[in-house]
């Protein structure tokens, strides 16, 4: 089984653990929140209901030394991130596996101090069934074992429009490999895609890491026609982004292929 599959299974297992203990982490109660100044949070913001978060030109960051995603979106919720004033940033997320959680007793239902990090989604982790809708803002300076910027479980959706920048997010604690938006496989083992809800400005730039690679190209958008260009997307790996059949497609040359153990074909870069 490939290293990516192991990572996906680990993220899923740890997310289940997180689901058992999320009540120990601060939950965002308000349906709408607008920043009026830069804000630093001590722990992951858990989204349990449809929520609009307006950066309003300010910076939202996870406190230095804290571990975990900035946002964790539950499977029944939608998080809308907008930036009415421009230049708003989400940063500082550190979803790394070097410290999972600490509890005072083994009963998850009764207190205990908990520190959570699931290893995926430095800025945003989405459970299956969750939606992330971005119409503005920048996600940068976050880290995770996978999906340094955004990590989607299979069945989650990521929608974009407006001016959105997702770059400068990295894999691992000290790694130099960009890993901005991790796009999973769907339930049919097909590559999922970013859903384009409206026009993307020419200043939008979104880095993408698909779950699989193909010498025939990987489609990473849905609904791009007339709303944006290939320049709005970059590859986190050594790939070219082209428009084919009205969608953004990642291509890479010099690939060899192999069949992994769960029934679909993946490609690795030839050494």
């Amino acid at each position: 089984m490939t290293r990516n599959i192991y990572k996906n299974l680990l993220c899923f297992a740890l997310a289940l653990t997180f689901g058992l203990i999320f009540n120990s982490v601060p939950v965002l109660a308000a349906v709408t929140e607008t920043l009026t100044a830069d804000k630093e949070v001590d722990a992951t913001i858990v989204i349990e209901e449809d929520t609009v978060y307006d950066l309003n030109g300010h910076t939202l960051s996870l406190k230095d030394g804290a571990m975990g995603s900035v946002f964790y979106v539950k499977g029944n919720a939608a998080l809308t991130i907008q930036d009415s004033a421009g230049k708003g940033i989400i940063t500082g997320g550190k979803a790394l596996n070097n410290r999972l959680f600490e509890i005072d007793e083994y009963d998850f239902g009764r207190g205990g101090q908990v520190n959570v990090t699931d290893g995926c989604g430095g800025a945003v982790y989405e459970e299956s069934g969750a939606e992330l809708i971005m119409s503005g803002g920048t996600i940068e300076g976050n880290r995770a074992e996978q999906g340094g910027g955004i990590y989607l479980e299979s069945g989650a959706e990521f929608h974009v429009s407006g001016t959105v920048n997702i770059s400068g997010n990295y894999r691992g604690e000290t790694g130099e490999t960009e890993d901005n938006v991790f796009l999973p496989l769907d339930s049919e083992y097909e590559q999922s895609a970013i859903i384009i809800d409206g026009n993307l400005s020419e200043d939008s730039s979104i880095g993408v890491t698909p779950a699989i690679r193909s010498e025939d190209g990987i489609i990473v958008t849905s609904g791009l026609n007339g709303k944006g260009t290939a320049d709005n997307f970059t590859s986190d790996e050594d790939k070219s982004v082209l428009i084919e059949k009205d969608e953004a497609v990642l291509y890479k040359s010099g690939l060899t292929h192999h069949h992994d153990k769960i029934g679909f074909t993946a490609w690795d870069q030839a050494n």
Side-chain angles (χ1 to χ4, degrees):
M1 185 176 287
T2 64
R3 187 166 179 244
N4 271 350
I5 298 303
Y6 279 125
K7 281 187 176 180
N8 291 344
L9 291 173
L10 178 60
C11 289
F12 178 73
L14 291 169
L16 289 178
T17 301
F18 183 88
L20 292 173
I21 60 177
F22 74 89
N23 284 326
S24 299
V25 182
V27 174
L28 183 65
V31 173
T32 301
E33 180 162 346
T34 301
L35 293 185
T36 57
D38 292 349
K39 181 176 181 177
E40 186 178 71
V41 294
D42 293 328
T44 300
I45 301 169
V46 180
I47 304 298
E48 293 189 274
E49 60 183 332
D50 293 353
T51 301
V52 177
Y53 207 101
D54 186 356
L55 297 172
N56 194 30
H58 298 289
T59 296
L60 174 66
S61 60
L62 190 67
K63 184 178 180 180
D64 188 32
M67 300 294 290
S69 308
V70 180
F71 288 105
Y72 186 101
V73 188
K74 301 289 288 182
N76 60 342
L79 170 63
T80 298
I81 296 174
Q82 57 191 40
D83 185 23
S84 56
K87 298 185 178 180
I89 300 172
I90 299 172
T91 190
K94 294 172 287 294
L96 301 166
N97 284 325
N98 55 353
R99 182 177 56 171
L100 298 181
F101 54 86
E102 299 169 0
I103 60 175
D104 296 331
E105 50 189 87
Y106 290 102
D107 185 346
F108 288 110
R110 297 183 182 176
Q113 184 175 1
V114 179
N115 265 320
V116 174
T117 173
D118 52 42
C120 301
V124 183
Y125 186 106
E126 290 186 71
E127 286 187 351
S128 180
E131 290 183 279
L132 173 63
I133 303 161
M134 281 192 73
S135 61
T138 293
I139 292 177
E140 67 179 20
N142 302 278
R143 289 185 174 273
E145 298 299 331
Q146 191 161 53
I150 298 171
Y151 181 91
L152 288 73
E153 286 186 7
S154 180
E157 293 184 357
F158 178 36
H159 301 246
V160 296
S161 62
T163 301
V164 173
N165 288 282
I166 306 173
S167 62
N169 302 284
Y170 293 91
R171 185 180 305 156
E173 188 168 7
T174 59
E176 298 299 325
T177 300
E178 287 205 36
D179 190 0
N180 290 294
V181 179
F182 176 79
L183 295 174
L185 302 179
D186 63 21
S187 60
E188 303 297 324
Y189 298 119
E190 299 291 336
Q191 179 62 59
S192 62
I194 299 171
I195 300 169
I196 314 301
D197 280 346
N199 292 336
L200 290 170
S201 77
E202 63 181 13
D203 294 325
S204 291
S205 181
I206 301 169
V208 181
T209 295
I212 59 175
R213 306 170 180 86
S214 170
E215 58 192 0
D216 298 321
I218 294 294
I219 298 172
V220 295
T221 61
S222 175
L224 182 63
N225 185 26
K227 301 173 186 174
T229 70
D231 292 337
N232 294 134
F233 300 91
T234 60
S235 170
D236 292 332
E237 299 176 336
D238 180 21
K239 294 187 179 183
S240 299
V241 182
L242 304 175
I243 297 295
E244 183 175 293
K245 296 181 180 179
D246 300 323
E247 300 293 354
V249 181
L250 300 188
Y251 283 96
K252 186 172 183 177
S253 60
L255 300 173
T256 59
H257 75 275
H258 66 273
H259 294 274
D260 66 26
K261 295 182 180 179
I262 65 170
F264 63 86
T265 303
W267 279 261
D268 287 333
Q269 182 177 8
N271 294 321

